[in-house]
């Protein structure tokens, strides 16, 4: 998963990009980068491992002039977590410098890369996004837009893209629309971002969300729609609403905060806990869900867990024991709230179950009489191949355990998950337009075949997983 941001036709574009990326930091914390293009078409870039504020220092920012910029924050879902995979990708292309920022995951990258390598392409990174750049450069079409289209017609999977060719900026969403992308106006120019929160932070006026298959060209303060990509059934990622996006964003036309409250209300209706004394969230991602649960059930909403916001990358953990240690450092129970009580704990999702396992022990030690865990989404039973980093299937706590077995494993009085139907009802809009493959196994595009032999492509999938739940 990644955050992407672009500016066209606004002075000090890199500074705006910095602020935008800052508010998209939740979408990726492994690497960050900004590329700017100045009036003479010179490209300036800063990319590195870590958070935006660590990578793009004030000095680095002052060396990124121009009114055009693209930025990226990265969580690896294809290709390992190393500097060469940091984006935006930059290449010298025959129509000028090209910079590309990609959010999503291509499902046929391994095969495409293999073909490209066989035909002489030399890759600098192991990320799937570089495949797009090579396809553009190798297209036999003459004009940049036709070359980009050639590339888009060959790639499959999830992609929201911002790319610049010289000072022309393109914003593209794949035909299924897995990942969000929004455009706004600022000071006579335009801004494109993964989420609306990034427009708000720089005072840009929200114009609209890009629809699946939509392709915009922004040049000299003018915005133009290029012909839509070939239509496919829409598959908006429901997990963006459940967990990934920020609550102050509007994603797929839905307020994320309102959607999460609705998830909490549905959860309280479907799985009430009337004998309990209070309800609290696992902060921060399930705050709105616990609020919805409290509103619907009439239970008192409490702060039963306090989250330390300063848990840095030191605690990001490659193995299970250090992951549990991270949970203990990240959360602390409020004994005054919990002691002697029958509590409902609301969380947005269970992935490996690591967070819940440690939290339940903590809450028990803080004196809870009964613990009833309510999850505001269905059991995650499969990996995501479209840009959310989920572990392999056998690491998922629900892939081969019943809800009752998970309840026993976590040591709970009760455990209930929201049903798929209720999750989709809470998400609202056209329920058929969501991708819920990780919950339902209904994969809109076949999972990638990463068994292509004969080149370094095998490194593409899966990503190095060192910092996931
Ligand atoms: P786990 O401890 O593996 O069960 O992880 C569950 C917690 O991680 C939930 O409380 C979610 O808020 C959060 N979470 C869910 N999916 C992801 C993801 N793809 N990346 C990072 N955190 C996640």
């Amino acid at each position: 998963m990644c955050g992407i941001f672009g500016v066209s036709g606004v002075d000090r574009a890199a500074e705006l990009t910095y602020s935008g990326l800052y508010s998209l930091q939740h979408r990726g914390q492994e690497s960050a980068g900004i590329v700017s293009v100045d009036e003479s078409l010179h490209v300036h870039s800063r990319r590195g491992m870590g958070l935006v504020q660590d990578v793009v220092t004030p000095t680095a920012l002052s060396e990124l002039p121009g009114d055009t910029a693209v930025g990226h924050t990265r969580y690896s879902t294809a290709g390992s977590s190393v500097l060469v995979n940091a984006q935006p990708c930059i290449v010298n292309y025959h129509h000028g410098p090209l910079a590309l920022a990609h959010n999503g995951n291509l499902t046929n990258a391994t095969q495409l890369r293999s073909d490209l390598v066989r035909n002489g392409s030399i890759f600098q990174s192991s990320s799937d996004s570089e495949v797009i750049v090579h396809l553009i450069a190798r297209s036999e079409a003459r004009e940049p837009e036709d070359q980009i289209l050639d590339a888009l017609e060959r790639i499959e999977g999830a992609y929201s893209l911002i790319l610049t060719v010289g000072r022309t900026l393109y914003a593209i969403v794949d035909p299924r629309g897995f990942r969000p992308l929004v455009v706004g106006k600022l000071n006579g120019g335009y801004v494109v971002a993964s989420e609306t929160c990034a427009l708000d932070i720089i005072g840009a006026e929200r114009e609209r969300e890009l629809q699946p298959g939509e392709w915009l060209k922004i040049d000299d303060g003018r915005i133009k729609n290029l012909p839509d990509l070939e239509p496919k059934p829409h598959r908006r990622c429901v997990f963006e609403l459940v967990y990934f996006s920020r609550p102050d964003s509007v994603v797929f036309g839905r307020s994320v905060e309102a959607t999460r409250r609705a998830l909490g209300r549905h959860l309280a209706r479907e799985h009430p806990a009337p004998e309990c004394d209070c309800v609290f969230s696992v902060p921060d991602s399930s705050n709105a869900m616990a609020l919805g649960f409290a509103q619907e059930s009439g239970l008192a909403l409490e702060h039963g867990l306090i989250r330390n916001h300063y848990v840095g990358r030191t605690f990001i953990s490659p193995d299970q024991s250090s992951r549990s240690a991270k949970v203990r450092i990240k959360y602390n129970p409020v004994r005054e709230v919990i002691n002697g009580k029958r509590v409902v704990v609301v969380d947005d999702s269970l992935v490996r179950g690591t967070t819940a396992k440690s939290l339940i022990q903590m809450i028990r030690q803080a004196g809870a009489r009964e613990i009833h865990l309510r999850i505001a989404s269905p059991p995650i039973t499969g990996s995501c191949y479209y840009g959310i980093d989920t572990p392999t299937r056998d690491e998922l706590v629900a892939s081969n355990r019943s809800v009752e077995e998970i309840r026993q494993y976590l040591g709970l009085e009760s455990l209930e998950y929201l049903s798929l139907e209720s999750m989709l009802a809470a998400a609202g809009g056209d329920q058929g337009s969501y991708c819920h493959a990780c919950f339902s196994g209904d994969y809109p595009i076949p999972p990638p075949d990463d068994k292509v032999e004969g080149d370094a492509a095998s490194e593409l999938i899966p990503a190095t997983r060192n910092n996931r739940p």
Side-chain angles (χ1 to χ4, degrees):
M1 182 56 73
C2 304
I4 58 175
F5 192 89
V7 177
S8 170
V10 192
D11 279 346
R12 295 148 75 113
E15 285 176 33
L16 296 167
T17 305
Y18 179 90
S19 303
L21 290 184
Y22 209 88
S23 66
L24 298 174
Q25 188 74 83
H26 60 288
R27 300 185 67 89
Q29 296 157 22
E30 287 177 10
S31 69
I34 299 179
V35 173
S36 71
V37 189
D38 66 25
E39 285 65 16
S40 320
L41 296 188
H42 290 128
V43 176
H44 310 265
S45 75
R46 178 73 181 190
R47 291 175 295 185
M49 301 305 292
L51 304 178
V52 181
Q53 69 192 63
D54 300 328
V55 172
V56 190
T57 58
T59 313
L61 195 53
S62 69
E63 292 165 356
L64 297 170
D67 70 352
T68 307
V70 190
H72 192 267
T73 59
R74 177 166 196 259
Y75 249 166
S76 50
T77 50
S80 42
S81 178
V82 289
L83 181 58
V84 285
N85 288 338
Q87 291 192 29
C89 309
I90 323 165
V91 289
N92 280 320
Y93 156 69
H94 40 276
H95 291 287
L98 182 151
L100 173 134
H102 172 207
N103 175 29
N105 207 39
L106 304 184
T107 52
N108 63 345
T110 308
Q111 181 62 56
L112 289 172
R113 184 185 171 108
S114 184
D115 296 344
L116 285 160
V117 168
R118 211 171 297 121
N119 289 312
S121 286
I122 297 172
F123 278 77
Q124 291 174 4
S125 76
S126 60
S127 94
D128 59 341
S129 314
E130 195 186 343
V131 167
I132 306 172
V133 173
H134 283 270
L135 290 173
I136 296 171
R138 282 185 165 258
S139 160
E140 286 175 6
R142 286 170 67 93
E143 296 305 317
E145 277 139 44
D146 296 326
Q147 297 193 313
I148 296 169
L149 184 60
D150 268 355
L152 298 178
E153 284 174 347
R154 295 192 59 196
I155 59 178
E156 186 64 277
Y159 54 89
S160 284
L161 299 174
I162 301 177
L163 71 133
T164 51
V165 176
R167 287 168 68 219
T168 304
L169 186 145
Y170 299 95
I172 304 161
V173 174
D174 71 73
R176 294 180 182 82
F178 287 100
R179 306 278 151 230
L181 201 60
V182 61
V183 61
K185 266 186 175 160
L186 182 73
N187 300 341
Y190 287 91
V191 181
V192 185
S194 292
E195 291 181 37
T196 58
C197 66
L199 301 186
D200 298 342
I201 199 170
I202 56 163
E205 187 188 327
R206 289 183 202 174
E207 180 128 317
R208 64 195 175 78
E209 257 187 286
L210 271 77
Q211 293 308 304
E214 196 173 350
W215 185 10
L216 298 180
K217 174 181 182 179
I218 308 174
D219 215 353
D220 277 337
R222 285 192 305 272
I223 193 163
K224 185 177 157 195
N225 259 89
L226 297 176
D228 283 357
L229 304 177
E230 197 188 315
K232 307 230 163 97
H234 295 181
R235 288 289 181 268
R236 309 300 227 160
C237 167
V238 73
F239 207 60
E240 288 276 352
L241 293 165
V242 170
Y243 169 74
F244 222 87
S245 299
R246 253 172 57 159
D248 49 338
S249 286
V250 175
V251 164
F252 308 144
R254 326 289 304 168
S255 151
V256 176
E257 171 74 16
T259 304
R260 291 187 186 162
R261 288 188 193 193
L263 286 163
R265 285 197 299 274
H266 277 274
L267 189 59
R269 282 203 287 275
E270 211 170 77
H271 301 294
E275 308 302 324
C276 286
D277 302 306
C278 66
V279 53
F280 56 83
S281 69
V282 178
D284 295 320
S285 50
S286 57
N287 288 350
M289 292 149 178
L291 180 61
F293 194 101
Q295 286 171 339
E296 183 69 27
S297 63
L299 287 180
L301 179 67
E302 296 281 5
H303 291 161
L305 291 167
I306 299 300
R307 177 179 162 187
N308 186 330
H309 286 96
Y310 306 98
V311 181
R313 294 187 56 83
T314 335
F315 299 112
I316 284 172
S317 28
D319 58 51
Q320 191 66 22
S321 63
S322 48
R323 244 183 239 118
S324 306
K326 180 183 165 194
V327 174
R328 283 196 296 278
I329 289 157
K330 191 167 167 189
Y331 300 103
N332 202 30
V334 183
R335 176 168 275 277
E336 289 66 26
V337 168
I338 293 172
N339 195 17
K341 302 272 176 51
R342 294 164 299 185
V343 301
V344 179
V345 183
V346 175
D347 204 354
D348 55 89
S349 55
L350 285 184
V351 183
R352 289 186 171 90
T354 319
T355 313
K357 180 91 183 153
S358 300
L359 283 179
I360 303 312
Q361 280 169 8
M362 263 185 223
I363 295 167
R364 195 73 75 189
Q365 279 160 10
R369 195 140 59 90
E370 290 179 14
I371 308 175
H372 302 265
L373 183 61
R374 297 290 179 268
I375 305 296
S377 59
I380 298 181
T381 50
S383 297
C384 174
Y385 301 103
Y386 317 124
I388 300 259
D389 189 39
T390 33
T392 54
R393 211 176 163 274
D394 42 327
E395 291 175 87
L396 295 167
V397 71
S399 66
N400 54 13
R401 288 184 188 85
S402 66
V403 175
E404 173 55 19
E405 283 166 339
I406 302 170
R407 183 194 71 75
Q408 287 179 20
Y409 163 71
L410 295 177
L412 292 158
E413 271 67 36
S414 78
L415 166 67
E416 300 289 354
Y417 285 88
L418 189 64
S419 66
L420 185 68
E421 298 68 37
S422 291
M423 177 180 71
L424 294 177
D430 172 7
Q431 295 181 22
S433 70
Y434 288 108
C435 175
H436 40 73
C438 57
F439 300 113
S440 62
D442 179 8
Y443 287 94
I445 308 173
D449 176 11
D450 60 337
K451 298 200 169 34
V452 180
E453 288 171 4
D455 67 52
S458 54
E459 206 200 326
L460 266 173
I461 296 162
T464 302
R465 301 181 192 286
N466 62 354
N467 63 347
R468 297 308 177 279

